[in-house]
Amino acid sequence: MPDPLPWSSLPWLGERARRDPDALALRDGEHELSYGQLAARVERLAGRLVALGLAPGDRVAVLMDASCRLVELVHATQRCGATLVPLNTRLVPAEIAALVLDAEPQLLLHDRERAADLEEARARAGAMRVVEANNELDAVPPTDAPAPRPLDPAAILTILYTSGTTGWPRGVMLTNGNHFASAAASRAHLGMLSEDRWLVVLPLYHVGGLAIVFRSVLDGVAIVLHSRFDPARAAAALRQEGVTLVSLVPTMLFRLLEHDGGRPFPPSLRCVLVGGGPVRPALLERALALGMPVAPTYGLTEAASQVATAAAGDAVRRPESAGKVLPGTRLRISEPDASGCGEILVHGPTVMAGYFRQHQATARALSDGWLHTGDVGRLDAAGFLYVLDRRADLIVSGGENVYPAEVEAVLLAHPAVLEAAVYARPDPDWGQQVVAAVILRAECPVDGQDLRAWCKARLAGYKVPCVIEHVATLPRTASGKVRRHLLTAGAARVR
């Protein structure tokens, strides 16, 4: 049984390789690496990053699909004392450029397929160095990386971009201590077995995927890494590669069950975390009937992944609950109403250091030392959390967050659109779908397909409205704010 690494360790991969050099670390279809082999590759990669001028405290942006090289870069960045900034590979060039301008990385690494997506970022980002992360980076003559030093728990290890309630991107700063505490809390809840293997199908620019990379090295277990979610490949991994743990969003769970044709899952699969949105009771029952040990979970980027997670059997007894808060974390409901519902507040060592260069937003989010999530929930008498709604305007479609203000801004930039409101409509497959209501200028008639094409050129695909309806008026408050809940309910809709 591998021992969890203590906090006083040096960069985590090197310390794990010293203890368990022959233990399996990673399998991704092309590579099968032990911890000793992975650490040797990372050491050479860190030397190349230093040769490129990377210094402690610098920011390294990466625009890459999940791969062995990306895992190496995660560890090499920590080895150099730098900060990793993973960028969402589903964004369009203008969105990528906006994040790069905000992060101001000293170095941007990308896979070959993403080179064209960076032209706008290159033109606008000034002195940033841009390097292809495989052949071009491997051609850099390495220098010796500085001798490893004990990690500073307060040093920023990652900046992960997530939208705030305004819809504008915010870089969530997570420290070495945040990620370590998250891994320790997950271990305390799930336990750890020497034969454990994590299947990673969540993207590594999401905290849910990245957290598994850190958990695995801190716990000394292996990951089976897929570049993207494919239900056939995921099903095969669960059945044939000894996978014991996997983290999914509800849409992935649905697609996996649809593909697998009702075959029961092997008893070696001991936990399936499902987060990123509510799990429909029918989907949960279907998964449980096939022997899939589903554990609904509630988490957020600002808390380095999981906050509360169901234990074995909880999903059967309390299918609508996200379980109990994880060890080391505190949770309370702020200003509960008569039914006990209020804003979910979180406190503990997993809570972020703040939003990158957004001091006012940080002060609001971390008021009184508690993370104000903006999510509404309640706790029952036994301490089980029920998440009643995501942030007031947030749309969660297939596990991806969509903020109406961002989509509305794109629609309003179209010369034919006078007013726009974006809202959610329930969808059995994706949880929610993005819908827009627009008021058009009389002199500029367009149809919904024209507007969807406009959005597709400017937004990631999951943000593009599935339906765009023409309306005569939008329901508003006295102060002029759109009352989206009335649109969701179908009120004031005129076709």
Side-chain angles (χ1 to χ4, degrees), residues 81-254:
T83 297
L84 182 75
V85 188
L87 301 177
N88 187 334
T89 56
R90 297 180 65 184
L91 299 180
V92 299
E95 294 172 308
I96 293 168
L99 296 188
V100 170
L101 286 172
D102 187 74
E104 290 187 326
Q106 283 73 28
L107 177 65
L108 194 158
L109 301 168
H110 63 92
D111 49 26
R112 185 173 53 190
E113 295 77 12
R114 297 295 185 284
D117 295 336
L118 292 170
E119 292 180 3
E120 185 171 349
R122 285 174 180 267
R124 298 171 60 187
M128 171 188 70
R129 188 162 187 175
V130 180
V131 178
E132 190 271 321
N134 291 292
N135 295 334
E136 188 176 348
L137 183 57
D138 286 342
V140 175
T143 186
D144 291 331
R149 295 180 299 175
L151 296 174
D152 177 2
I156 306 302
L157 178 55
T158 61
I159 297 175
L160 301 176
Y161 274 91
T162 183
S163 293
T165 54
T166 62
W168 307 117
R170 290 175 178 170
V172 176
M173 298 187 294
L174 296 174
T175 66
N176 286 312
N178 292 150
H179 284 295
F180 184 92
S182 178
S186 179
R187 181 192 317 121
H189 180 77
L190 296 175
M192 182 180 66
L193 304 176
S194 58
E195 64 269 22
D196 274 341
R197 289 187 184 181
W198 276 101
L199 174 60
V200 182
V201 293
L202 295 172
L204 299 190
Y205 57 76
H206 275 191
V207 71
L210 191 60
I212 298 173
V213 174
F214 294 129
R215 286 177 207 156
S216 64
V217 70
L218 287 165
D219 292 346
V221 300
I223 61 174
V224 176
L225 181 67
H226 291 184
S227 59
R228 57 180 59 85
F229 176 71
D230 175 80
R233 190 179 176 203
L238 295 176
R239 299 185 186 288
Q240 302 168 17
E241 297 190 53
V243 168
T244 61
L245 303 161
V246 63
S247 187
L248 305 171
V249 299
T251 302
M252 291 178 176
L253 178 60
F254 173 80

Side-chain angles (χ1 to χ4, degrees), residues 395 423-428 431-435 467 469 487-488 493 495:
I395 302 169
Y423 57 100
R425 179 179 292 170
D427 183 272
Q432 293 177 315
Q433 63 176 205
V434 182
V435 181
V467 177
E469 300 176 334
L487 289 168
T488 302
R493 186 170 297 157
R495 291 188 179 274

